[in-house]
Amino acid sequence: MTQPAFNRAFHRDNGTLFVEGVSAADLAAQYGTPLYVYSRSALTAAWHAYADACAGRRATVHVAVKANSNLAVLNVFAREGAGFDIVSGGELARVLAAGGKAENTVFSGVGKHPDEMRMALEAGVKCFNVESIPELDRLNAVAGELGKKAPVSLRVNPDVDAKTHPYISTGLKSNKFGVAFDEARATYRAAAAMPHLDVVGIDCHIGSQITEVAPYLDAIDKVLELVDQIESDGVHIHHIDVGGGLGIRYDDETPPDIGDFVRTVLDRIEAHGAKIGKTREVYFEPGRSLVGNAGILLTTVEFLKPGAEKNFAIVDAAMNDLARPAMYEAYHAIEPVTERADAAHTYDIVGPVCESGDWLGRERTLAIEAGDVLAIRSAGAYGFVMSSNYNTRPRAAEVLVDGTRAHVARERETVQQLFAGEHLLPD
Ligand code: LLP
């Protein structure tokens, strides 16, 4: 079974797009555009797809905060009892402010600062996912200063091809991530010998927007083989963290159903455990598959600009609001919030930023007029979080819809806020 195209929380009624019980046109009119809109029921449905497949098994789910770190969104997951996966001290602060618990939080990332390590140790995070010997040394020193023992897992690089965009593939030898597979055993021995570290697990994350299960199983088989070797050296591995990366449907991709994916992974790990008489906890770190299709970006058409070679629809959202097309040539479906019966034309949908790379969709056939509101779909993951203030553009507002209620999850930035911390030279 594969994931459905988009989520049922986004549906049409008489040609008008609705987010749960609220019309997208009304949201645009009330809050202005560009506007990120999330559906609470889509968030919880994706969460339950993971959580229900984990129920009764030794498995926990940690929401990858980097995909969408809005406090209201994190709070939806925290209320469901979610764990979290963070990559900075800032993300830890967000998790705590959103009602998440440090003891359910794993700390990933290739370059943790000593201040971030201190903050995470003091808060009591569940595990540090460490990626190199110098990072182990640093963590050992910081934990020693605080008189604590840091729980650690090593992120190993299984050297498998996740068959995704090169910028979001992370499990190959050529990537900066993780401890090289051939060095992992020795690195575990080194970690086990450090007095202020407590080795508790192993992790890997092979990439993002992965639409097949096979690369995961290849990675897991390699990791399990390594676990046997590490344990034969006398280091016990309590948990295996399989990372995140499960893809979603943006266009015509056919990613596996979340529940099927979780069960396949757990079955593989449990079968290995049964063979050698050991059970281990399994961690998941999904981001995109929880939030990606739970969000859209609403934008208004400013001008239609016909050209000799191309027609452009210039909209009020830009690459600073949604960087994925410019950065990865990513596809996002784009559709008018209110359908028109007029003839459709083919447009490149572009923003007002002064860069030719500022596009949101290419060659889209749409019946639109200036002033129409468009919905850019599948924008809940790596959308707002990657937005910037380039061209001194305030970042968009974010709204979370819950049934018939719309809740402002983040106010639109003001220009004053953008340069509030800047100072002219003194006379
Ligand atoms: N765990 C680790 C260690 C990660 O590095 C990531 C994502 C995740 C979990 C969550 O992966 P997900 O389930 O969301 O695929 N900006 C890119 C995606 C970058 C992903 C980085 N790491 C994009 O817009 O496609």
Side-chain angles (χ1 to χ4, degrees), residues 258-276:
I258 292 172
D260 290 346
F261 162 76
V262 167
R263 283 183 287 272
T264 306
V265 165
L266 293 179
D267 288 350
R268 190 74 152 220
I269 295 174
E270 282 173 14
H272 178 85
K275 211 165 60 194
I276 60 166

